[in-house]
């Protein structure tokens, strides 16, 4: 390739580049993405699929004056390259480096911070309304995938935006459908006709002329309008729902044909009112492994670009163990069903979906629906297991309260990616679930310390006739079938201590043991309690303290301190014992490797030891 990204001043230089040069640029960008993401990890397949779209957007529109809102945001890598951030890709998703999602604090070209799906059109509605109220100029463009469009919020926003009749552009990046050349050619011809000034003026003149005739003219116009609607339904079945919502529909267009993409974006820019551009793209475009396995290459750890294989084998994970256990439980109980929100393989339910296809439900990116759907299943006598990431489950908070817990229905929430998850950052850290679940009546909240705990808790949850939430972290876990013990629903004491008592929630138990061993070297005797049951609060291990009832209690949790387990324990003790809460700060934690984040925020072993020593000295 003769083109180097460093030789251009993007996005300005895109305005004058020849078509052939932009096509070569597409190949250069794909090579760049594969090289960089293979080193840092990140979202690959989705970004390879939007190369031509991103080039077209910055060719036709003038960011940051024109606002481009990316939904979900993980496919904005090319946008970052084309807005002068190519040099930052060596630090992509690394601690202190460039985010894997749009961040306004990183660039003025990032119009809206996004990390969860189905939000772009709502944000666009707000920006359009503000622009119109203030009398400003500029386009507002929401780029949304067909997966994100399954979220109900997207349709609420489409309805609002279509009814407003304000100028806005929604780009549907559809990588879940095939495209016919004949339909594509016809639609391009119709697109050019329907947004042309002559066509719009002719339509207006015909309407005015016929209406001036009186009742007969109105009848003729209504008849023509009815005929037009019938023709529209016949020749544009894919886009009719958007037309009915008030949008001018342009598409479907081959999203990898640069001439077509640029042409349709120019048409959308010239159109009046809300416009929806429908592009057909292929996830992983240009990289054979990603094209063949788009789900595998959606979010990847560092890998060998020659073989497509990960550079390290993660072994047993909480997600995979959950999926394996769900299959075992379902074998023995025909009423067990599994539900997920577009995260079947990621949550470990791939094998379940293949073994029990009639009892597996992927509802798309619709967490609210997933939870109430589970409530309906439970009400009808089934035993639903809902597997959703911690930060995504936040979207269904009302449904957890109103539809599940208020009716005390036996729904099991398998909450994956609880706690800090690392490189995906603030939008994906699951550090609020203990806080937002702890206050809900009828809900049992559990957190395993290891793989054995997770398996035991899932089986324990099946014995309850009430809702249960089991939250567990991302990544590897230990599991030994030979040492398996049933879960009794209680917290348990690992060791006694006469100077301080450490209560560690879930995965933080290993950290507590590390801290205890470090404290021994300082002459401090620490007891350790494994906290596996967050709610209802079990404080029975305090009864084992005997004569050490007044020593401080230190709580460790992979959750925000505000509203978390530690505050709950402190409240329950009512001042009878001093409590030191250690967890994530009352803030949004940035992206980076977990080790660096823990060290910065005082959750590494050394920082915890220092904190305990300071508190003991102060107490003395």
């Amino acid at each position: 390739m003769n083109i180097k990204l460093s030789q251009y001043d993007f996005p300005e230089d895109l305005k004058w580049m020849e078509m052939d040069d932009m096509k070569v640029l597409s190949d250069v960008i794909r090579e760049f993405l594969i090289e960089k993401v293979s080193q840092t990890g990140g979202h690959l397949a989705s970004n390879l699929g939007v190369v031509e779209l991103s080039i077209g957007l910055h060719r036709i529109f003038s960011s940051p004056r024109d606002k481009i809102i990316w939904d979900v945001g993980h496919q904005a890598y090319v946008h970052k390259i084309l807005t002068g951030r190519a040099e930052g890709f060596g630090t992509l998703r690394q601690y202190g480096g460039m985010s894997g999602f749009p961040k306004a604090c990183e660039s003025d070209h990032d119009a809206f911070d996004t990390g969860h799906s189905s939000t772009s059109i709502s944000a666009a509605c707000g920006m359009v309304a503000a622009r119109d109220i203030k009398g400003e100029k500029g386009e507002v463009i929401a780029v949304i995938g067909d997966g994100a469009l399954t979220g109900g919020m997207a349709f609420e926003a489409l309805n609002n935006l279509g009814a407003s009749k304000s100028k806005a552009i929604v780009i549907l990046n559809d990588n879940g459908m095939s495209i016919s050349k004949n339909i594509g050619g016809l639609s391009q011809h119709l697109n050019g006709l329907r947004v042309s000034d002559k066509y719009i003026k002719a339509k207006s003149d015909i309407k005015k002329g016929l209406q001036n005739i009186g009742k007969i003219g109105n009848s003729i116009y209504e008849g023509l309008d009815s005929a037009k609607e019938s023709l529209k339904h016949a020749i544009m079945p894919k886009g009719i729902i958007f037309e009915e919502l008030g949008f001018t529909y342009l598409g479907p267009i081959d999203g990898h044909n640069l001439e077509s993409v640029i042409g349709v974006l120019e048409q959308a820019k010239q159109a009046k009112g809300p416009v929806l551009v429908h592009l057909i793209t292929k996830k992983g475009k240009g990289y054979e492994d990603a094209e063949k396995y788009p789900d595998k290459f959606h979010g990847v750890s560092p890998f060998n670009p020659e073989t497509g294989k990960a550079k390290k084998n993660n072994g047993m994970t909480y997600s995979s163990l959950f999926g394996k256990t769900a299959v075992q439980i379902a074998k023995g109980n025909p009423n067990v069903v599994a539900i997920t929100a577009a995260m079947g393989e990621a949550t470990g339910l791939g094998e379940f979906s293949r073994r029990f296809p009639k009892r597996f439900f992927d509802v798309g990116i619709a967490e609210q629906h997933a939870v109430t759907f589970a409530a309906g299943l439970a009400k009808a006598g089934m035993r639903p297991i809902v597997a959703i990431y911690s930060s995504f489950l936040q979207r269904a908070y009302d449904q957890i309260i109103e539809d599940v817990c208020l009716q005390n229905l036996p729904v099991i929430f398998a909450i994956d990616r609880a706690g800090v998850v690392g490189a995906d950052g603030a939008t994906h850290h699951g550090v609020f679930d203990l806080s937002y679940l702890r206050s809900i009546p009828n809900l049992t909240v559990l957190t395993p310390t290891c793989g054995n705990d997770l398996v035991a808790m899932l089986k324990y949850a099946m014995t309850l006739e009430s809702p249960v939430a089991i939250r567990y972290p991302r990544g590897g876990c230990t599991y030994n079938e030979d040492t398996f013990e049933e879960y009794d629903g209680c917290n348990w004491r690992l060791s006694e201590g006469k100077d301080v008592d450490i209560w560690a929630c879930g995965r933080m138990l290993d950290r507590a043991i590390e801290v205890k061993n470090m404290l021994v070297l300082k002459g401090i005797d620490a007891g350790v309690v494994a906290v596996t049951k967050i709610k209802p609060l079990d404080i029975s291990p305090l009864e084992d303290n005997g004569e050490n009832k007044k020593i401080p209690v230190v709580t460790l949790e992979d959750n925000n301190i505000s509203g978390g387990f530690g505050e709950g324990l402190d409240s329950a003790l009512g001042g009878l014992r001093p409590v030191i809460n250690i967890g994530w700060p009352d803030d949004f934690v940035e992206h980076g490797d977990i080790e660096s984040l823990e060290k910065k925020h005082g959750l590494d072993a050394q920082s915890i030891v220092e904190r305990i020593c300071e508190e003991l000295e102060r107490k003395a």
Side-chain angles (χ1 to χ4, degrees):
M1 298 290 182
N2 295 322
I3 289 181
K4 292 184 179 180
L5 296 176
S6 59
Q7 75 187 66
Y8 289 98
D9 181 19
F10 291 129
E12 286 76 12
D13 286 356
L14 278 174
K15 307 298 183 186
W16 55 262
M17 287 180 72
E18 298 292 334
M19 184 63 67
D20 287 344
D21 289 337
M22 286 191 288
K23 290 179 179 178
V24 174
L25 176 63
S26 300
D27 295 331
V28 171
I29 288 175
R30 285 194 168 92
E31 287 188 0
F32 178 86
L33 286 173
I34 294 167
E35 175 193 353
K36 296 299 183 181
V37 177
S38 70
Q39 296 170 4
T40 64
H43 294 89
L44 182 60
S46 54
N47 284 286
L48 292 174
V50 296
V51 174
E52 288 81 8
L53 168 58
S54 302
I55 290 174
L57 283 169
H58 286 288
R59 167 78 170 206
I60 298 301
F61 300 102
S62 298
S63 175
R65 185 198 66 181
D66 295 328
K67 312 298 182 186
I68 304 172
I69 307 168
W70 295 89
D71 191 331
V72 175
H74 61 247
Q75 78 279 39
Y77 291 10
V78 186
H79 161 78
K80 293 195 175 198
I81 292 170
L82 296 175
T83 51
R85 285 173 275 176
E87 291 184 359
F89 271 76
T91 67
L92 179 68
R93 304 169 78 246
Q94 308 300 302
Y95 180 68
M98 188 167 68
S99 172
F101 296 88
K103 292 287 183 184
C105 62
E106 187 179 289
S107 171
D108 290 341
H109 292 283
D110 293 355
F112 195 81
D113 290 9
T114 50
H116 284 193
S117 72
S118 313
T119 62
S120 61
I121 306 175
S122 294
C125 281
M127 290 186 178
V128 165
R131 177 200 65 194
D132 293 349
I133 290 170
K134 295 192 288 185
E136 295 176 347
K137 302 294 182 182
E139 301 289 346
V140 178
I141 306 106
V143 183
I144 186 168
D146 57 304
L149 198 65
T150 63
M153 185 176 176
F155 283 93
E156 294 172 16
L158 282 171
N159 184 56
N160 183 194
L161 187 56
S164 75
K165 303 189 184 306
S166 294
K167 176 60 187 300
I169 299 171
V170 175
I171 296 175
L172 173 56
N173 173 35
D174 185 349
N175 49 47
M177 297 171 61
S178 61
I179 182 170
S180 162
K181 288 185 178 180
N182 290 333
I183 293 177
L186 172 62
S187 65
Q188 289 180 54
H189 172 74
L190 291 173
N191 294 341
L193 172 66
R194 291 168 61 243
V195 300
S196 68
D197 290 338
K198 289 182 179 179
Y199 174 70
I200 294 171
K201 186 175 186 301
K203 248 191 0 177
S204 177
D205 288 346
I206 290 171
K207 181 178 181 179
K208 288 179 181 177
L210 289 172
Q211 288 178 334
N212 286 337
I213 298 174
K215 291 184 179 180
I216 296 176
N218 282 328
S219 298
I220 295 173
Y221 182 79
E222 289 171 4
L224 289 174
D225 197 48
S226 177
K228 181 195 75 172
E229 288 299 309
S230 298
L231 180 62
K232 184 169 68 175
H233 279 262
I235 65 176
M236 290 200 304
K238 292 182 188 296
I240 198 63
I241 185 173
F242 304 113
E243 292 277 346
E244 296 298 338
L245 286 170
F247 285 78
T248 296
Y249 172 80
L250 307 179
I253 297 294
D254 181 353
H256 300 302
N257 183 314
L258 199 50
E259 289 98 334
S260 297
V261 170
I262 290 174
V264 77
L265 291 179
E266 183 61 50
Q267 291 167 359
K269 185 177 181 179
Q270 299 303 321
K272 306 294 190 291
V275 182
L276 188 134
V277 178
H278 186 176
L279 299 183
I280 306 297
T281 61
K282 187 175 183 63
K283 270 186 130 177
K285 176 71 173 176
Y287 182 46
E288 185 177 356
D289 288 324
E291 287 188 25
K292 192 173 180 180
Y293 306 107
D295 290 344
K296 176 183 174 183
F297 283 88
H298 170 73
V300 294
S301 57
F303 66 96
N304 185 331
E306 299 297 325
T307 65
K309 294 182 178 179
K311 292 182 178 179
K312 63 178 180 179
N313 185 2
N314 293 323
M316 177 72 75
T317 65
Y318 279 98
S319 300
S320 60
L321 183 58
F322 156 72
K324 179 181 177 181
T325 307
V327 168
Q328 292 175 345
I329 291 173
K331 283 180 183 178
N333 188 338
N335 289 331
V336 171
V337 295
I339 304 163
T340 189
M343 289 288 180
E345 293 289 343
T347 56
L349 287 174
E351 181 62 21
F352 191 106
S353 69
R354 292 182 285 273
R355 293 286 295 274
F356 309 104
K358 292 185 178 180
R359 290 195 271 157
F360 171 76
F361 303 94
D362 185 342
V363 301
I365 304 177
E367 291 83 4
Q368 293 170 288
H369 167 58
V371 172
T372 303
F373 176 46
L377 283 161
K379 194 74 172 179
M382 305 300 285
R383 292 305 301 260
I385 302 174
V386 183
I388 297 178
Y389 288 7
S390 172
S391 67
F392 297 165
L393 190 61
Q394 294 163 182
R395 300 158 67 95
Y397 189 53
D398 181 66
Q399 286 69 33
I400 295 171
I401 295 174
E402 295 290 328
D403 300 328
V404 175
C405 293
L406 183 62
Q407 301 183 74
N408 201 27
L409 296 174
V411 175
I412 298 173
F413 295 99
I415 306 176
D416 202 335
R417 271 65 167 181
V420 162
V421 297
D424 281 336
T427 55
H428 286 61
H429 291 321
V431 295
F432 302 106
D433 54 60
L434 293 185
S435 303
Y436 71 70
L437 294 174
R438 204 172 57 78
S439 62
I440 305 176
N442 294 332
L443 182 64
T444 297
V445 182
L446 309 175
T447 178
T449 66
C450 62
N452 281 45
D453 278 356
L454 174 61
V455 174
M457 287 174 178
L458 284 165
K459 293 179 178 179
Y460 170 77
M462 292 298 298
T463 69
L464 303 181
E465 294 299 325
S466 56
V468 181
I470 306 172
R471 58 104 68 174
Y472 46 91
R474 178 181 187 174
C477 69
T478 58
Y479 176 65
N480 187 340
E481 195 169 355
D482 294 334
T483 60
F484 177 81
E485 295 181 7
E486 291 186 358
Y487 182 63
D488 62 2
C490 298
N491 297 325
W492 50 280
R493 178 168 291 282
L494 189 68
S495 63
E496 285 280 359
K498 63 182 179 61
D499 296 318
V500 68
D501 212 20
I502 304 174
W503 287 49
C505 301
R507 80 166 184 90
M508 299 302 287
L509 179 61
D510 289 342
R511 181 60 42 82
I513 295 171
E514 183 182 3
V515 168
K516 172 184 170 62
N517 293 334
M518 293 173 67
L519 288 172
V520 168
L521 300 178
K522 294 179 175 292
I524 298 172
D525 186 21
V528 175
V529 172
V531 178
T532 56
K533 190 173 190 179
I534 304 296
K535 180 184 175 67
L537 183 61
D538 173 31
I539 61 174
S540 60
L542 286 174
E543 299 171 1
D544 302 331
N545 268 153
E547 60 187 32
N548 301 317
K549 290 182 178 180
K550 295 298 182 182
I551 66 173
V553 173
V554 175
T555 64
L556 303 182
E557 58 189 305
D558 192 10
N559 190 81
N560 195 299
I561 290 177
S562 180
F565 167 78
E567 287 194 355
L569 181 62
D570 192 11
S571 176
L573 294 179
L576 294 177
R577 295 180 67 167
V579 178
I580 304 164
N581 295 329
I582 298 177
W584 296 101
D586 188 15
D587 201 351
F588 293 104
V589 179
E590 65 271 52
H591 65 275
D593 63 281
I594 293 177
E595 183 179 351
S596 296
L597 294 175
E598 287 180 336
K599 187 173 183 179
K600 176 180 178 180
H601 294 287
L603 273 77
D604 62 302
Q606 183 60 45
S607 297
I608 294 171
V609 167
E610 292 173 0
R611 173 81 182 276
I612 291 174
C613 290
E614 289 173 2
E615 293 294 339
L616 291 177
E617 288 176 8
R618 185 178 295 112
K619 179 175 179 292

